[in-house]
Amino acid sequence: MTAKTQGAQAPASAPAGALPADAAATARVQWLRDELERHAYQYYVLDDPSIPDAEYDALFSELQALETEHPDLLTDDSPTQRVGGAPLSAFDSVRHRVPMLSLNNGFADEDVVNFDRRCAQGLGRTAAPAPADGHDLFSAAEATDQAVEYACELKFDGLAMSLRYEDGRLVQAATRGDGETGEDVTANVRTIKAIPLKLRGKAPAVLEVRGEVFMYRAEFDKLNERQAEAGEKTFVNPRNAAAGSLRQLDPRITAKRPLSFFAYGIGELQGADRPATHSVMLDGFAGLGLPVCAERQVVKGAQGLLAFYRDIGARRDQLPYDIDGVVYKVNAIAEQEQLGFVSRAPRFALAHKFPAQEMTTTVEDIEVQVGRTGAITPVARLAPVFVGGVTVTNATLHNEDEIRRKDVHIGDTVIVRRAGDVIPEVVAVVLERRPADARAFVMPTTCPVCGSHVERLEDEAIARCTGGLICAAQRKQALLHFAQRRAMDIEGLGDKVVEQLVDQGIVRTPADLFKLGVAKLAALDRMADKSATNLVAAIDKSRSTTLNRFIFALGIRHVGEATAKDLAKHFGKLDNLLAADEAALLEVNDVGPVVAQSIANFLGEPHNVEVVEQLRAAGVHWPESEPAARAPLPLAGKTFVLTGTLPTLSREDAKERLEAAGAKVAGSVSKKTDYVVAGAEAGSKLEKAQALGVAVIDEDGMLALLADATGAQPEDAQ
């Protein structure tokens, strides 16, 4: 548990303050201890955190304050006198020869200034002057000769680890546990490629390396994708993923997890002198082949510490791994020993935390927003919560599948995450706090902006509004697409003009463009009479076009220029296209089930057909012809599923070839599936196909089937 933020609210079941002062304090202290122990067990032992770090640490800070105010209530078994959770019983216990203590935390500049002052006084020095709030920081070079020198590092969001090397060979790896006793995870740690099994060069007889096991963000995202594909539980964050991976009883599972490691401290050391400074120690680690983070610096005084903090804070979101703060340590080892320890933490070190990026709040409602392309995105309306440095009231829920996967209900208590400028998102639900009247979300079937039908095509996660030509949310995007060079080619109708036309309510649909006059356009900003005249002329010229350009200009999802040409060639006349159903659309060259459904949905909206008729009434015209004759597609009515990696074709290439032959390519296996095309590392889809008795073929089998269906030679299919 790391990131601390003040002000987390306790549930209503917490002891009330109506008791006498002493009794109320005693009851509150006991309740806090019980809560902290429960959450620590959830986090450290079960790897299933029920609250974010900030809320845990707010409870911890409150308990510390109460024990300071009432020292008679302090007991040896209080969570404030321990470092972490109990060792997992499934692993052997390891007694740390040098305890793995945690650090005191700071949140404000004042905390850092006070830390520097205490260190300086403890060493018999005068603290360097600290900058006034809001003023530029002094550089480290301007610090006085009396200023304390510090080693500055990052505070990684992972799992603390102790690696024991004897004569340069890794003999044991242990988690922090409760600081005194940890868990033996040697077999699992040996699978982490970043950790050397044998140190380079001349190593001490015994060297205990302290550091952090973590997971890079990119690797974490890939892991969650694999977990979701396999139908397994996904992880809340990289820290949770790292902890869960290290506590696998089967090291083979850990070996598949992309874990990394950074060294940052020493425990027991035999057969060598301790380095003179912490920074020299880290350089020595690197020389032994141990991974050490490059983001570190030696500074002087509070001003140097704050400069490092702000520099890292500005770059935090660009780092490839999660951190929740920075760590300051007096650099000279002799001075560290002189300052010593207090309670559970060293006096010579401080963790300076960033604002919490995860907090809990409640979902007051779930609404949907319509994007410029018609995408329907569910958004959680939240009880205001301060997270990531700002007050958050909304958080994206991405899509309907995400809501179901995370099991988010209206009324739930949820963990919300915000990192930098990233849109806040709901990370997880605190199920134990779900109220009895919590309600499930139902995706609307009609667009909340224009009332058009909402479609969700097979194999797509995003639902979309089909009212592309009339939906106000999509209006600007629709007009710009309509006017582009490859569509109606209306020169001069760019972003700024479209923005004004829509914002002022002058144009609602593409048909309204053909009603514009010079006077109306000249009244717009930066539109002189000449520009307005030229634009009116360009609009008038666009009335004469081709059928394929007109079809493309409508902005039907999945209908690009090539498909528009195929549609125009196949149907010859617009009325034939308007009358076509999905079966008729599937007869068009290169039109598969997804494209056919998208076209049918678009043309099935009366609003869109009305705009098409308005455009024809405005004089938009094109040459028409008789529809092209076409034989039925050979694989029409057959359903295929692709899984694994094919030898020569990408999955998209294979899909295109199958759809071109009339087949439907689905994303999941069912009894209606005719063939499963399986490549290397095929997973659950192959297993399901075998269980259902669905025919399984490889790439060669698929190409042979295509050749038989089309009459081509197999090599032609390649």
Side-chain angles (χ1 to χ4, degrees):
M1 301 275 178
T2 49
K4 293 182 172 64
T5 295
Q6 301 296 328
Q9 298 298 310
S13 58
L19 298 169
D22 289 346
T26 301
R28 182 66 177 175
V29 163
Q30 188 57 52
W31 181 85
L32 287 168
R33 287 174 181 168
D34 291 342
E35 281 292 286
L36 289 167
E37 289 289 353
R38 183 170 67 86
H39 290 307
Y41 178 81
Q42 286 282 125
Y43 185 96
Y44 290 106
V45 178
L46 301 183
D47 295 324
D48 187 22
S50 54
I51 59 174
D53 290 2
E55 187 170 337
Y56 176 94
D57 287 331
L59 297 174
F60 192 99
S61 295
E62 183 184 352
L63 178 58
Q64 278 185 315
L66 283 171
E67 289 176 344
T68 300
E69 184 179 353
H70 304 279
D72 56 308
L73 297 180
L74 182 61
T75 61
D76 292 338
D77 61 353
S78 171
T80 62
Q81 304 305 298
R82 300 174 59 196
V83 174
L88 193 66
S89 59
F91 294 99
D92 291 337
S93 296
V94 174
R95 183 79 174 177
H96 297 302
R97 293 169 175 82
V98 176
M100 294 183 69
L101 301 181
S102 62
L103 303 176
N104 285 324
N105 295 314
F107 303 97
D109 290 2
E110 182 183 3
D111 298 329
V112 178
V113 172
N114 290 336
F115 165 70
D116 177 51
R117 182 181 297 113
R118 289 194 301 270
C119 288
Q121 290 173 347
L123 297 172
R125 301 186 185 185
T126 302
D133 187 37
H135 291 75
D136 291 338
L137 295 165
F138 297 102
S139 68
E142 295 175 311
T144 67
D145 292 338
Q146 289 286 303
V148 178
E149 184 177 82
Y150 298 97
C152 300
E153 305 167 288
L154 306 186
K155 190 174 189 309
F156 304 103
D157 217 359
L159 188 73
M161 185 64 54
S162 179
L163 308 177
R164 183 177 178 85
Y165 288 89
E166 295 181 359
D167 296 323
R169 295 184 181 276
L170 179 65
V171 297
Q172 191 176 71
T175 62
R176 179 192 304 230
D178 64 0
E180 297 288 341
T181 303
E183 305 152 357
D184 189 334
V185 289
T186 308
N188 288 347
V189 166
R190 284 180 176 275
T191 70
I192 302 174
K193 293 182 175 62
I195 295 177
L197 299 179
K198 185 177 185 300
L199 298 177
R200 296 178 181 177
K202 186 178 180 181
V206 175
L207 173 63
E208 278 189 353
V209 177
R210 303 287 166 77
E212 198 91 359
V213 173
F214 67 98
M215 200 174 285
Y216 283 96
R217 289 174 184 157
E219 297 295 338
F220 168 75
D221 292 338
K222 292 177 185 176
L223 172 61
N224 262 353
E225 286 176 10
R226 293 195 296 271
Q227 293 286 108
E229 263 186 26
E232 298 177 5
K233 175 184 175 182
T234 55
F235 296 98
V236 173
N237 51 46
R239 179 192 62 244
N240 180 238
S245 299
L246 274 173
R247 291 194 176 94
Q248 294 292 326
L249 296 180
D250 186 350
R252 291 173 297 182
I253 297 177
T254 307
K256 296 178 181 178
R257 304 284 173 83
L259 297 172
S260 296
F261 177 80
F262 278 140
Y264 54 62
I266 284 181
E268 185 179 9
L269 178 63
Q270 295 180 21
D273 294 331
R274 286 190 177 271
T277 65
H278 184 79
S279 56
V280 167
M281 177 198 72
L282 295 180
D283 292 340
F285 280 166
L288 292 171
L290 290 159
V292 180
C293 181
E295 297 286 351
R296 62 185 193 273
Q297 188 177 349
V298 174
V299 304
K300 286 191 174 183
Q303 63 272 42
L305 298 176
L306 292 171
F308 180 80
Y309 174 84
R310 291 176 187 177
D311 172 57
I312 295 298
R315 297 188 288 118
R316 180 186 184 186
D317 298 325
Q318 284 72 53
L319 295 174
Y321 36 69
D322 280 355
I323 62 172
D324 57 4
V326 297
V327 175
Y328 312 134
K329 298 173 184 174
V330 172
N331 196 27
I333 302 300
E335 292 180 350
Q336 290 185 8
E337 294 171 349
Q338 184 177 343
L339 289 168
F341 299 82
V342 57
S343 184
R344 59 195 287 273
R347 288 191 178 95
F348 57 79
L350 181 75
H352 191 179
K353 297 297 192 66
F354 291 123
Q357 292 184 303
E358 290 184 357
M359 289 293 290
T360 53
T361 186
T362 55
V363 179
E364 296 182 336
D365 200 0
I366 298 177
E367 300 174 357
V368 296
Q369 292 180 341
V370 185
R372 292 182 54 165
T373 62
I376 307 290
T377 304
V379 176
R381 304 303 183 193
L382 308 171
V385 60
F386 192 75
V387 55
V390 299
T391 299
V392 170
T393 56
N394 302 312
T396 180
L397 292 167
H398 299 292
N399 54 59
E400 188 176 14
D401 287 348
E402 275 292 283
I403 294 178
R404 301 289 172 257
R405 184 178 70 80
K406 294 176 179 175
D407 192 24
V408 181
H409 285 48
I410 298 167
D412 272 344
T413 295
V414 294
I415 298 174
V416 178
R417 178 175 175 82
R418 180 184 182 274
D421 296 327
V422 177
I423 298 171
E425 67 170 337
V426 171
V427 176
V429 175
V430 185
L431 289 174
E432 64 184 50
R433 298 188 189 177
R434 172 168 288 172
D437 59 350
R439 294 180 289 119
F441 168 75
V442 178
M443 178 67 79
T445 57
T446 57
C447 174
V449 175
C450 69
S452 298
H453 175 67
V454 170
E455 69 171 6
R456 180 179 172 186
L457 301 182
E458 191 172 354
D459 298 336
E460 287 195 4
I462 302 296
R464 297 180 187 276
C465 166
T466 56
L469 296 181
I470 60 98
C471 184
Q474 303 174 65
R475 193 165 290 157
K476 294 177 184 178
Q477 185 71 21
L479 289 170
L480 288 170
H481 177 82
F482 184 84
Q484 68 168 285
R485 182 179 58 80
R486 295 174 297 162
M488 300 300 287
D489 194 18
I490 304 177
E491 186 176 352
L493 191 63
D495 291 35
K496 295 187 183 302
V497 176
V498 166
E499 188 171 339
Q500 293 184 72
L501 291 173
V502 172
D503 290 346
Q504 295 179 30
I506 299 170
V507 172
R508 298 175 62 84
T509 75
D512 293 336
L513 293 171
F514 297 92
K515 303 173 185 177
L516 293 173
V518 173
K520 181 71 73 173
L521 288 169
L524 301 177
D525 290 343
R526 301 182 181 180
M527 281 290 284
D529 287 344
K530 183 176 180 180
S531 298
T533 301
N534 290 341
L535 181 52
V536 169
I539 293 172
D540 186 58
K541 180 182 177 182
S542 74
R543 283 185 168 91
S544 179
T545 185
T546 62
L547 180 55
N548 59 283
R549 277 179 172 268
F550 181 78
I551 294 171
F552 176 61
L554 296 178
I556 305 171
R557 183 162 173 77
H558 296 304
V559 176
E561 291 178 88
T563 302
K565 289 178 181 178
D566 288 335
L567 289 167
K569 181 179 178 181
H570 181 89
F571 290 105
K573 300 178 181 180
L574 180 63
D575 287 336
N576 293 338
L577 173 61
L578 295 177
D581 58 14
E582 282 191 53
L585 290 165
L586 283 170
E587 295 179 4
V588 180
N589 180 48
D590 283 343
V591 172
V594 171
V595 179
Q597 184 184 353
S598 181
I599 298 170
N601 287 343
F602 181 90
L603 297 179
E605 282 294 333
H607 304 299
N608 291 333
V609 176
E610 182 181 348
V611 173
V612 169
E613 296 303 334
Q614 290 173 356
L615 287 166
R616 289 208 281 195
V620 179
H621 62 281
W622 49 84
E624 292 194 329
S625 61
E626 292 302 316
R630 180 176 171 84
L633 293 171
L635 293 182
K638 299 294 184 182
T639 300
F640 288 71
V641 171
L642 302 168
T643 183
T645 303
L646 301 180
T648 65
L649 294 176
S650 70
R651 189 171 295 189
E652 191 59 35
D653 289 337
K655 180 180 180 182
E656 288 179 3
R657 295 190 184 202
L658 289 167
E659 289 182 343
K664 174 182 177 181
V665 180
S668 57
V669 179
S670 70
K671 293 180 180 178
K672 297 180 180 179
T673 305
D674 294 292
Y675 296 96
V676 167
V677 182
E681 299 182 4
S684 57
K685 293 177 183 177
L686 174 59
E687 295 173 2
K688 187 171 182 181
Q690 293 168 336
L692 292 175
V694 174
V696 178
I697 58 176
D698 57 11
E699 181 184 293
D700 289 340
M702 183 195 76
L703 293 175
L705 197 60
L706 285 168
D708 290 342
T710 60
Q713 296 297 317
E715 56 268 25
D716 293 338
Q718 295 178 349

